[in-house]
Amino acid sequence: MNWLVPLVVALPLFSAGLALTQASRPRVQAIISITTISLVLIDAIWMLALVDAGPLVLNVGEWNAPVGIALVVDRLSALMLVVSSVVLLGVLLYSVSQGTSMERRDSRTPVSVFHPTYLVLAAGVGNAFISGDLFNIYVAFEILLGASFVLITLGATGERIRAGTIYVVVSLASSILFLTALALIYAATGTLTLATLAERLPELPVGTQTVLQVMLLLGFGIKAAIFPLSAWLPDSYPTAPAPVTAVFAGLLTKVGIYAIIRTQVLLFPANDALDDVLIVLSILTMVIGILGAVAQNDLKRLLSFTLVSHIGYMLFGIAIANQVGLAATIFYVAHHITVQTALFLVAGWIEQRGGTTSLDELGGLAKLAPMLAVVFFVPAMNLAGIPPLSGFMGKVGLLQAAADAATPLAYAAIAAGLLTSLLTLYAIVKAWNKAFWQSSPKPLPTVRIRRGMIGAATAIVGASTAITLVAGPLYAYATSAARDLTLRTPYINAVLVDGERGEGESAEVAGTEGSDGSEGSGSEGSGSESETGSGSQGQEDDDE
C-alpha cells in the first residue's frame, strides 16, 4: 500500500492544474478543490490505519533510498496528515461560502486564483510531512512560500501587500539559512536522506554537529515563530482574509514544529546544552507572546500573539527531550492546529457580523448572535486549558514531562507554562467581555452570514472539541509515535531495509551486481565499514 503515500502531494498538484483550466467557473473550481481535499483526507485516514504495522516507504522511481527520494509516512506523519486534511477541508468549505459572497461585493477579489493556490498549499503541507530527506522538506517550504504569498495578498490591498512583503522577506531569510545548512550537511556527510543522516551525523565532531543543528533550528524556528524570530507573525497574519489567516495560523507554524521534532529527535538525539537553550527560548516564547496578547485590542492580533505564546508549549515539550514530553507535544500540536484554526474562522465570522475585529468597537454580540457566542467560547476555553478540554490534557502532559525531568530549568518552564495559561484565560475573557458581553459603543451593522460559513466554522469547532472525547486513544497514539521517534530504528530500518540502502533497485546497480557478482556488492557493502571511510563511499553512491 506504499502507493498511498505520494497521493497527498500528487492529487492536489494535479487538481491545481485542473482548477486553473476552469478559471471562469468558480463553482467547478470549488467542486474540484473540495473533492480533492476530501480524497486526501481519506488517503490520510487510510495510512493512519496502516502505519501501526510500520512506516510506509515509497522510493520514487525505484531508486534506492540514499540515492533517490524516499517518501515516508510513520505514526507522526500520518497523524499530521489527518489533522491537516481536516483543517484544510474545513477552511476550504468556509472560504467557498465567504468567497462567493465577496465576489459579489468586490470584483477585485480573484476567487479564480484562490482554488489552484490553495491546492498547491495543500500539496506543500503534504510534501513537508512525507519527505524522507532534508532537501524535499526545503522544496516543501518553498512550495508553501509561493502559495502563501499569493493567498496572503489576495485582494491586493496596500495593507496585505505590506504584510505579504514582510512574510516573504522573513521566509526567504529562513530559506537561505536552511539551504546553507543543507549545503554544509551534504558536504560533511554526502547525503541529505534523513535515515542515512541519522547514522552519519553522530560520526561528525561534536562542534560540527552543533553548528549544523543550530542552523537548522534557526531556519525552522523562523517558520515556527519561536521568540525572538516571531516578530513577523502578528503583523502578517491578521491582514489576510479570515480563512487564509486560519489555515496559516493552524498549519504553517506547525509545519515548522514538525520539522524541528523530526530533525531534533532523529538527527540530533543528544545535545543537553542546546536542549537547555531551547527550554529558555520556550519560556520566553510563552511569556512574551502572551504578554503581547494581553496588550491587544484587536481580536485577530490577540489571537496571533496567543499563537506565538502556545508555540512555546510545543518547543518546551521537544526541549524536555524525553518520551513523555514528546508524546505530550504531539498531542498538543494536534489539539492546537484545530483550536487555533477554529478561533480564526470564528474571528472572521465576528468580523463579518460586527464589521470589525477591534474590541473597542464591538459589543453586545452575545445578545445579537448567541450561536456565535457559543462557538467562540468553547475553543477559547479550550485554548486557555480549562478542564476537561483537550488543551488542559495537553498542558498537564507537558507539565508532567517537565516534573519528570526535575531540573531547575524544567521547573522554571512549569512556572512559565502556568503563568501563560492564566494570562491566556485573562486575554480570552477580556476579548469575550468586550465583544460579547458589554454594550457596543455604536450600533453594529445588520449582516446576514452565509450558512456555509457558519456550518464550516462550527464543524471545525466541533472537531477541536471532539479531540477531548478521543483524548485517551489519541494520547496513546501520540505515546506510540513518541516511542518510535525516540527509538529511531523503526524509521531508519524502514527506509534502509538492509541497513545501508533502501529496497528500491536501480538498473545500473542491478547490472553491476549481475556482471561482477561479489565485486559489485562489495562496493556497496564497504560503506558500512566506517574505519575505511564510510562518508567517502556514501559520496560515491550519491554521485551515482
Side-chain angles (χ1 to χ4, degrees), residues 4 79 84 103 155 186 254 317 387 409 491 505 508 531:
L4 291 170
L79 179 62
S84 62
E103 188 179 33
Y186 189 81
K254 309 311 181 300
L409 271 178
Y491 188 96
E505 183 176 315
E508 282 186 27
E531 66 274 19

Side-chain angles (χ1 to χ4, degrees), residues 383-405:
L383 182 71
I386 298 299
L389 297 170
S390 55
F392 170 77
M393 299 178 194
K395 287 172 183 169
V396 167
L398 290 167
L399 299 182
Q400 180 63 52
D404 291 346

